[in-house]
Amino acid sequence: MNNLVWFRNDLRIEDNKALYFSCKNKKKNVIALFIATPEQWKIHDMSYRQAFFIHKRLIYLKKKLKKINISFFYKEVKTYIDCIEYLLNFCKKYNINNVFYNYQYELNETHRDKKIKKILLLNKIFFKGFHDNVLINPKLIKNNDGLSYKIFRFFKKKSLKILKNHKIKLFKTPKIRKKNIMINNHILFFSYKYEKFHEKTFPYKDNQIKKKIKIFFDKKIYTYLKSKDYPIFNSTSKFSLYLSLGIFSIRKFFYYIIKKKIKNKKNLFILLEKILWRDFFKHLFFQYPILSQNKSFKFWEKKIKWNNSEKYLKSWEQGKTGYPIVDAGMRELNLTGWINNRIRMITSNFLVKNLFIDWKLGAKYFMLKLIDADFSLNTGNWQWISSIGTDSVPYIRTFNPYIQSKKFDLNGDYIKKYIPELIKVPIKHIHNPQFWLKKNDPHSKYPQPIVEYTLVKKIFIKKIKKIIQNKKYE
């Protein structure tokens, strides 16, 4: 009898719970499997760059597994439902009695796993899951009602207490197995759209990834707190991709943080807080399936009548709103598949609260474009910025794009990098360039603002307050 480790969003051999436990019995042969589901990815709006990255990573992972004598199989089916029959037949064909996997927390994934577990058990095949994609097991952090916290500060307090009192365990990389029969199973291109990514910025090989994290903790961490919000500085770790796809263990990343010796501990605490936010959203999606259905906890959200102007949406997507900081952000996203967290907040806030477009349309576009796209984090952050998420702030948070631009791109370096139409605009006019362009470059193709910020802000707040205060919506 053989063991099977089913890889999903955990494409690594180091500190991988499912792989570790599948290899624990030295007498067992271990087989690895990845099932591509392009039709399901289409439903989930998977990023085209992320698909290409996964393809390259799988080829690399296969070579890593071969070195420890584990056969790697690749199969493409259409959807998650198709995984069920294929996995059962695979287990029968290769005499497998144990399937090891790491949990995924979104609704479709959990439904798939429940159905697979049921049918495998009927065939006396054990389906063993592990909490590997989060720092703390979701079952360990509950409020007095036995549910996951909906407010981050309470979640953070409980998480820090657990991390202080319980050591986070790392799992060793399996040693070389006794020689398995290595079967040549080619990893084909997915039946899914591909988009190239910048491999120097987002390497997929372990030695390059480790070098990247070492540079961050050796150099960038010292100025992280001051520079992380400034898009022109290459100051962030860009490590979200590796955590989203499970290419680097969240536990190992945690140890990098707590073991780093640095005078200004705030830099490290902010980084720790970021991975706790990640856990927070994962826990919420585990506890509340409605979040996977693009629904929120706010009873009144369904009463919002969004504008959803196709013209406005396209202008936002293409970076042609007439607001330089917003347009630069969207153009960087389209060109590279990545923008920093500050720019994500500015662009998403603008779409929802200035253009009055449903946050779900923006979230969908981010999923398609971001190489580090993660459904639960993306949805949670869009709900938060739209003031309909897990947020204890009692007011409607809005971002003034002009103030944000001056604060985080004072000299317009970021704007000019991604908007060549504004390259000649003087610094003092760069954040609101239309008047200068009209006088000095009348043929410029850079657009006028598609809305008047002060006006639309007032309209948005007035509409939302009216909806919230109307008790008949409860």
Side-chain angles (χ1 to χ4, degrees):
M1 302 297 279
N2 300 315
N3 287 343
L4 174 68
V5 56
W6 180 15
F7 283 94
R8 294 110 73 92
N9 63 334
D10 51 355
L11 307 180
R12 67 183 189 278
I13 66 169
E14 294 183 6
D15 192 34
N16 184 322
K17 283 188 182 180
L19 179 62
Y20 172 82
F21 284 104
S22 71
C23 295
K24 206 168 183 184
N25 187 334
K26 295 179 181 179
K27 296 179 181 179
K28 289 264 192 179
N29 282 331
V30 178
I31 298 171
L33 172 68
F34 181 88
I35 306 174
T37 53
E39 288 298 318
Q40 193 76 46
W41 295 345
K42 188 176 181 180
I43 294 169
H44 291 176
D45 304 308
M46 180 196 271
S47 161
Y48 306 135
R49 285 189 178 92
Q50 190 175 99
F52 194 27
F53 185 95
I54 291 173
H55 172 77
K56 285 183 172 287
R57 179 66 185 183
L58 286 176
I59 295 171
Y60 176 77
L61 180 63
K62 180 182 178 181
K63 293 177 182 177
K64 296 279 286 188
L65 289 166
K66 187 177 181 180
K67 288 181 179 179
I68 55 175
N69 289 331
I70 293 179
S71 296
F72 181 86
F73 285 81
Y74 165 83
K75 178 65 177 178
E76 180 176 303
V77 299
K78 289 184 178 180
T79 66
Y80 286 162
I81 296 299
D82 301 310
C83 289
I84 301 171
E85 183 180 359
Y86 174 77
L87 196 61
L88 176 61
N89 291 333
F90 186 93
C91 290
K92 289 179 177 179
K93 182 178 180 180
Y94 292 100
N95 199 26
I96 289 164
N97 68 332
N98 293 295
V99 178
F100 297 81
Y101 69 102
N102 292 316
Y103 292 122
Q104 292 176 289
Y105 300 110
E106 292 77 18
L107 183 61
N108 289 341
E109 287 78 359
T110 53
H111 278 179
R112 172 201 61 198
D113 291 347
K114 285 178 182 177
K115 289 177 181 178
I116 288 174
K117 185 174 184 177
K118 185 177 181 181
I119 196 167
L120 289 183
L121 284 175
L122 288 174
N123 288 271
K124 297 182 179 179
I125 302 168
F126 295 97
F127 197 51
K128 302 180 180 181
F130 303 90
H131 293 287
D132 181 76
N133 196 28
V134 288
L135 195 58
I136 302 172
N137 186 329
K139 295 178 181 179
L140 296 180
I141 303 182
K142 301 290 183 182
N143 59 23
N144 292 334
D145 297 322
L147 301 173
S148 296
Y149 288 106
K150 293 182 181 179
I151 305 300
F152 177 69
R153 72 173 183 273
F154 300 136
F155 174 86
K156 181 174 73 171
K157 184 178 180 181
K158 186 70 174 285
S159 296
L160 291 174
K161 184 178 180 180
I162 290 174
L163 292 172
K164 183 179 180 181
N165 297 326
H166 298 84
K167 186 178 180 180
I168 299 297
K169 183 180 178 181
L170 298 179
F171 295 85
K172 293 180 180 180
T173 302
K175 294 180 180 179
I176 299 175
R177 316 283 301 169
K178 289 182 179 179
K179 192 68 176 178
N180 278 354
I181 298 173
M182 303 306 292
I183 300 172
N184 187 19
N185 179 241
H186 293 293
I187 298 170
L188 305 175
F189 274 100
F190 308 138
S191 301
Y192 195 74
K193 185 176 178 180
Y194 281 91
E195 215 170 303
K196 290 184 178 180
F197 63 93
H198 192 258
E199 292 186 20
K200 189 175 180 180
T201 305
F202 300 106
Y204 60 88
K205 295 181 179 179
D206 289 343
N207 60 331
Q208 296 168 328
I209 295 170
K210 288 176 182 177
K211 183 179 178 181
K212 183 181 177 70
I213 195 170
K214 187 177 187 302
I215 290 172
F216 177 76
F217 278 98
D218 284 351
K219 298 178 181 179
K220 296 181 182 181
I221 189 63
Y222 295 98
T223 58
Y224 178 70
L225 184 61
K226 291 183 179 180
S227 60
K228 66 182 178 64
D229 286 319
Y230 296 83
I232 198 60
F233 299 134
N234 186 25
S235 59
T236 56
S237 67
K238 291 187 174 68
F239 227 68
S240 49
L241 168 63
Y242 305 107
L243 297 178
S244 294
L245 297 180
I247 289 168
F248 197 89
S249 157
I250 186 68
R251 294 179 294 276
K252 288 191 76 172
F253 194 72
F254 169 72
Y255 273 105
Y256 267 98
I257 295 172
I258 63 170
K259 288 187 176 182
K260 180 65 180 177
K261 293 181 180 179
I262 185 174
K263 286 184 178 180
N264 188 354
K265 295 291 184 181
K266 287 184 179 179
N267 287 289
L268 296 173
F269 189 78
I270 289 294
L271 204 57
L272 176 59
E273 192 173 69
K274 278 184 174 292
I275 63 173
L276 289 181
W277 267 105
R278 181 183 181 278
D279 259 36
F280 177 56
F281 286 131
K282 293 292 181 184
H283 286 217
L284 283 173
F285 275 70
F286 178 71
Q287 179 73 62
Y288 303 102
I290 64 166
L291 297 175
S292 289
Q293 299 171 311
N294 279 332
K295 297 177 182 178
S296 74
F297 294 128
K298 304 299 184 185
F299 65 89
W300 46 264
E301 187 210 346
K302 59 187 176 183
K303 298 298 180 180
I304 301 175
K305 294 180 180 179
W306 300 102
N307 177 9
N308 288 349
S309 163
E310 188 174 337
K311 178 183 175 183
Y312 283 1
L313 180 61
K314 288 296 179 185
S315 296
W316 178 79
E317 290 175 350
Q318 295 170 6
K320 296 180 179 179
T321 67
Y323 286 84
I325 193 66
V326 174
D327 295 340
M330 295 307 296
R331 293 188 193 191
E332 182 189 14
L333 173 63
N334 293 331
L335 184 65
T336 69
W338 193 88
I339 45 178
N340 80 1
N341 190 56
R342 173 59 54 176
I343 298 300
R344 295 185 197 203
M345 289 194 290
I346 293 171
T347 52
S348 54
N349 188 281
F350 184 85
L351 181 76
V352 175
K353 295 175 179 176
N354 294 166
L355 301 185
F356 210 60
I357 289 176
D358 192 341
W359 66 270
K360 291 185 280 294
L361 297 177
K364 177 185 176 75
Y365 193 75
F366 270 26
M367 285 298 296
L368 284 169
K369 290 296 179 179
L370 286 168
I371 192 170
D372 66 341
D374 179 302
F375 180 73
S376 56
L377 273 66
N378 187 58
T379 301
N381 283 321
W382 270 91
Q383 288 192 355
W384 182 87
I385 204 71
S386 303
S387 299
I388 51 94
T390 53
D391 190 353
S392 60
V393 176
Y395 56 85
I396 305 300
R397 182 186 288 102
T398 59
F399 286 8
N400 183 319
Y402 295 126
I403 292 176
Q404 293 288 311
S405 185
K406 291 175 183 177
K407 187 174 182 179
F408 298 108
D409 189 31
L410 182 61
N411 295 326
D413 297 319
Y414 176 69
I415 290 169
K416 291 186 178 184
K417 181 178 180 179
Y418 291 103
I419 309 178
E421 306 98 295
L422 303 181
I423 198 73
K424 296 179 181 178
V425 177
I427 292 174
K428 67 177 182 178
H429 296 289
I430 194 64
H431 307 289
N432 191 0
Q434 283 80 7
F435 179 78
W436 186 92
L437 289 172
K438 185 177 181 180
K439 185 177 180 181
N440 298 279
D441 189 6
H443 301 294
S444 172
K445 294 182 180 179
Y446 189 69
Q448 291 292 314
I450 56 176
V451 292
E452 173 56 48
Y453 167 73
T454 53
L455 178 62
V456 293
K457 173 189 173 182
K458 290 178 182 178
I459 293 173
F460 176 85
I461 292 176
K462 185 178 180 181
K463 282 184 177 181
I464 297 302
K465 282 186 175 180
K466 185 177 180 180
I467 291 171
I468 294 172
Q469 291 167 2
N470 194 331
K471 297 298 182 182
K472 71 179 182 181
Y473 292 149
E474 293 186 8

